[in-house]
Amino acid sequence: MSVNKVSRRLRIKRSIRNKISGTSARPRLSVFRSNKAIYAQLIDDTTGKTLAAASSAKLDGVTNANISVSNQVGKEIGAKALELGISQVVFDRSGYLYHGNVKSLAEGAREAGLKF
């Protein structure tokens, strides 16, 4: 990835984070994507605590994060949220395009019962 792409994504990420925040009633669903894995966290920004987390690195037998694995991670974070009594979240894509793995994770979370 070129330096311009990384700095552009970080600039977009900062801009988005200034506009959205999560509360205990409606936490922020933050997504991080690397070359090998995809991660999702439910974050309460008022207290600064992570309420739940899921990643493709924790799944058995998974070496790379593809669209089906991202969907599984979305379903896992959705199930954890429902266990905590959380049904609505604010989706934070962290500057990534809403396409591919990020979209698949969001769809998996919706299938599990989360509302964005």
Side-chain angles (χ1 to χ4, degrees), residues 20-86:
I20 65 171
S21 66
T23 62
S24 58
R26 189 171 178 179
R28 177 170 54 100
L29 174 59
S30 179
V31 176
F32 175 74
R33 181 177 58 95
S34 70
N35 289 335
K36 293 187 178 184
I38 190 159
Y39 306 88
Q41 291 182 327
L42 288 174
I43 303 168
D44 179 4
D45 289 320
T46 56
T47 60
K49 292 187 178 181
T50 300
L51 305 174
S55 74
S56 61
K58 302 274 182 177
L59 297 176
D60 292 332
V62 175
T63 56
N64 285 330
N66 56 26
I67 291 176
S68 63
V69 171
S70 298
N71 197 312
Q72 289 176 353
V73 172
K75 288 178 182 177
E76 184 180 338
I77 195 72
K80 287 182 179 182
L82 293 177
E83 286 176 9
L84 295 172
I86 298 167

Side-chain angles (χ1 to χ4, degrees), residues 16 20 27-29 31 89-93 98 102 105-106 116:
I16 291 170
I20 65 171
R28 177 170 54 100
L29 174 59
V31 176
V89 295
V90 177
F91 189 63
D92 178 10
R93 57 188 173 84
Y98 187 78
V102 176
L105 187 141
F116 295 11

